[in-house]
Amino acid sequence: MMEEIKKAILEFAETSKKSKFYFKDLEKAVQAKIPEAKMRDIKKAATELVNEEKLIYFSTGSTTMYGLKGRGITEDQ
């Protein structure tokens, strides 16, 4: 299940028009593909993808967003 969620997250991140997105956007995209996915599992999968350096965190100061590593302008580029 976790691998399926990760795959859905990466598919959403690669096809999204935006380079950064909120967790709620990730959650909706995953639940559209995997309706039984729970928020906690989606959060864990997103964190694992960050740890694997496939996704990055992007902080605006007031909120944290996710982005696909290498896509868009980020602080480390």
Side-chain angles (χ1 to χ4, degrees):
M1 175 86 151
M2 194 62 75
E3 290 303 315
E4 294 170 21
I5 293 173
K6 284 181 176 181
K7 186 178 176 194
I9 290 172
L10 288 174
E11 282 177 16
F12 169 73
E14 289 165 359
T15 58
S16 174
K17 289 185 173 78
K18 298 178 183 176
S19 61
K20 294 171 198 63
F21 26 84
Y22 295 101
F23 177 74
K24 281 283 184 197
D25 298 333
L26 281 180
E27 186 181 11
K28 283 180 190 169
V30 170
Q31 287 179 336
K33 287 186 178 253
I34 309 167
E36 69 274 9
K38 303 227 180 329
M39 185 182 90
R40 184 177 178 156
D41 293 331
I42 298 168
K43 187 81 163 174
K44 280 184 186 177
T47 301
E48 282 182 27
L49 287 169
V50 170
N51 292 339
E52 293 169 11
E53 297 186 354
K54 292 180 180 168
L55 287 182
I56 57 167
Y57 286 123
F58 181 80
S59 176
T60 61
S62 62
T63 189
T64 301
M65 300 176 87
Y66 292 88
L68 190 60
K69 190 167 177 77
R71 184 170 177 217
I73 297 171
T74 57
E75 295 162 351
D76 60 332
Q77 290 181 336

